[in-house]
Amino acid sequence: MANVHLEGIRKVYGALPILHGIDLEIEHGEFVVFVGPSGSGKSTLLRMIGGLEKITGGTLKIDNKVVNTLDAADRNLGMVFQSYALYPHLSVRDNLAFPLKMAKKSKAEIAVKVKEAAALLQIEHLLDRKPKQLSGGQRQRVAIGRAIVRQPQVFLFDEPLSNLDTELRVQMRVQIAKLHQQLGNTMIYVTHDQTEAMTMADKIVVLKEGRVEQVGTPHDLYHRPATQFVAGFIGSPRMNFLPCSLTAKDERHVEVEVDGGVKGWLPIQALTAERGQKLTLGVRPDDFVAPTGKPGELTLDIEVDFVEHLGSATYLYGTTLGESIVARSPNDRFHVGRQGRVSLAVASTDCHLFDTSGRALPRLEAPQSWS
Ligand SMILES: Nc1ncnc2c1ncn2[C@@H]1O[C@H](COP(=O)(O)OP(=O)(O)O)[C@@H](O)[C@H]1O
Ligand SMILES: [Mg+2]
């Protein structure tokens, strides 16, 4: 086990800056997920931690030691990538044993370690097979097993489940999370899939264009996104955004008018924003409720043009005030199967506001959907 500390980490390819000074503290035993769109620099950052890519600037510490120029092999890391990179001519047993043979471990020790890893990953019955005789999920488990056998202090994963079909991905996600519980290692996991990030991470690092956009628990990022980018990236279906403007404010509240007419007070602090300023209202599809008519909610009339039934939930797709909108139906019988108009409300405590630069205005009360 080890902590990982990044200070002002930069990467430049040729003359092209890719990472612009990343500061990050990863604790002992933490499961940290780097998430962001393709090209945001996730793999580059992970590869620099792994010693596969030169660090242009800044300081990288693993287990409190500066390792900027230490060889990958000497960093005591286990790495798993999207491509399994198993040796095709070796059996599963020999693939698992390979890193231990390279480390000149005794035959007896190798046998024990291979057996332990195989048991942990439930691949004992596959030990005599060759990689081509395995399914995608089985191969990925062998690749993980090969990273485990040397008991590295930190695991690095780069999109390890991207080649698997949906069902298997969900299974492997649970397996990796359980593995983390059992081993208690520090794990750094890269994915572009926000669902993977939300379900697996202790701490999520959202990257955008080579910069850290926000660091926090899944709960923080969902309920208190710091930017409109994070708000839109985390959560599915995506948060709805409606243009609005500030019509009044006091110290702890703002009144906004959504373009097209709906007005309401929100427990959000606008320190710098002034009356008339353009803002963006953010409402999660899952935060809609049946209107009660009581104060403290914003009611939107939605013109529904499509109803999606998922069994556990029903989503209504349509438009409100000229913008497209998605809302989870408050109950299954609410407007099922019919097209037309429906009124839905959102608690003012569940509303988000963003300024024109995309920064979130601070929400002062716990969201209703929090509990
Ligand atoms: N070897 C390289 N040479 C030049 N540019 C690179 C190289 N590797 C990655 N990049 C660029 O760095 C950026 C970040 O890439 P990457 O870290 O792979 O992103 P991600 O893993 O988030 O999709 C991209 O714009 C990519 O084109
Ligand atoms: Mg990548």
Side-chain angles (χ1 to χ4, degrees):
M1 279 224 286
N3 54 2
V4 178
H5 179 91
L6 281 70
E7 210 178 297
I9 291 286
R10 290 186 304 112
K11 179 70 185 178
V12 177
Y13 279 121
L16 199 64
I18 300 292
L19 291 166
H20 309 276
I22 307 283
D23 297 317
L24 199 58
E25 195 70 64
I26 296 171
E27 311 288 339
H28 257 350
E30 211 171 18
F31 197 130
V32 173
V33 175
F34 295 169
V35 72
S38 176
S40 53
K42 307 178 296 292
S43 296
T44 305
L45 189 57
L46 193 78
R47 291 169 61 81
M48 288 199 292
I49 297 171
L52 305 175
E53 202 71 69
K54 262 189 134 159
I55 296 173
T56 311
T59 307
L60 170 66
K61 289 184 193 165
I62 299 178
D63 205 14
N64 304 319
K65 285 185 286 286
V66 176
V67 297
N68 280 43
T69 55
L70 197 67
D71 273 353
D74 298 325
R75 293 190 190 187
N76 193 11
L77 307 169
M79 300 190 223
V80 182
F81 301 104
Q82 180 177 349
S83 62
Y84 317 120
L86 299 175
Y87 300 107
H89 58 290
L90 297 182
S91 66
V92 169
R93 186 190 312 282
D94 290 339
N95 264 287
L96 293 175
F98 192 83
L100 299 168
K101 280 189 183 152
M102 294 304 285
K104 307 231 178 333
K105 301 291 181 196
S106 72
K107 272 203 168 135
E109 185 183 349
I110 292 176
V112 171
K113 290 273 165 63
V114 167
K115 196 159 175 263
E116 279 174 7
L120 195 62
L121 293 161
Q122 297 160 18
I123 49 174
E124 296 134 300
H125 59 297
L126 306 173
L127 284 172
D128 294 316
R129 290 201 200 166
K130 295 275 170 61
K132 68 169 187 287
Q133 298 167 308
L134 304 176
S135 70
Q138 292 169 335
R139 277 181 219 164
Q140 194 54 291
R141 286 211 288 269
V142 178
I144 293 169
R146 204 176 46 177
I148 285 174
V149 286
R150 285 192 67 186
Q151 296 170 323
Q153 46 184 358
V154 181
F155 278 115
L156 306 180
F157 293 92
D158 193 349
E159 311 245 9
L161 309 184
S162 296
N163 287 345
L164 307 179
D165 61 48
T166 314
E167 196 181 338
L168 209 57
R169 258 167 44 191
V170 174
Q171 275 180 29
M172 285 301 292
R173 205 162 80 192
V174 174
Q175 276 232 346
I176 292 176
K178 275 190 185 163
L179 195 68
H180 176 246
Q181 283 180 0
Q182 285 170 313
L183 299 175
N185 280 51
T186 309
M187 292 195 179
I188 309 178
Y189 187 104
V190 163
T191 179
H192 65 276
D193 178 347
Q194 65 88 28
T195 309
E196 272 183 27
M198 289 296 279
T199 52
M200 298 172 90
D202 295 319
K203 183 153 95 189
I204 299 178
V205 179
V206 182
L207 287 171
K208 183 194 172 201
E209 295 167 9
R211 289 194 170 81
V212 173
E213 188 82 359
Q214 189 172 359
V215 178
T217 62
H219 193 271
D220 288 339
L221 298 199
Y222 186 83
H223 289 291
R224 294 198 186 276
T227 66
Q228 194 174 340
F229 175 81
V230 173
F233 194 78
I234 300 287
S236 175
R238 205 176 92 107
M239 185 185 282
N240 298 293
F241 296 119
L242 300 171
C244 63
S245 49
L246 196 156
T247 43
K249 70 175 196 177
D250 65 23
E251 267 158 40
R252 300 178 59 83
H253 302 85
V254 286
E255 188 195 46
V256 293
E257 179 169 356
V258 182
D259 293 6
V262 175
K263 246 185 183 184
W265 281 92
L266 310 175
I268 293 178
Q269 195 174 37
L271 290 177
T272 54
E274 290 306 327
R275 216 185 287 181
Q277 179 169 332
K278 289 280 164 211
L279 297 168
T280 301
L281 174 72
V283 179
R284 294 212 180 270
D286 289 342
D287 287 341
F288 283 99
V289 293
T292 64
K294 290 186 195 143
E297 62 187 32
L298 271 185
T299 303
L300 296 173
D301 291 329
I302 299 173
E303 201 70 52
V304 177
D305 51 38
F306 182 68
V307 180
E308 183 182 54
H309 299 282
L310 299 178
S312 60
T314 299
Y315 286 97
L316 311 175
Y317 291 77
T319 50
T320 186
L321 305 167
E323 299 291 321
S324 50
I325 194 143
V326 185
R328 182 182 169 133
S329 174
N331 68 57
D332 224 20
R333 247 154 304 178
F334 210 79
H335 194 87
V336 174
R338 268 187 300 125
Q339 294 194 347
R341 195 165 255 256
V342 60
S343 286
L344 291 180
V346 55
S348 61
T349 47
D350 284 336
C351 290
H352 302 256
L353 271 186
F354 306 94
D355 65 19
T356 43
S357 72
R359 289 263 123 212
L361 275 53
R363 305 212 288 169
L364 297 178
E365 289 175 26
Q368 192 165 328
S369 59
W370 192 297
S371 43

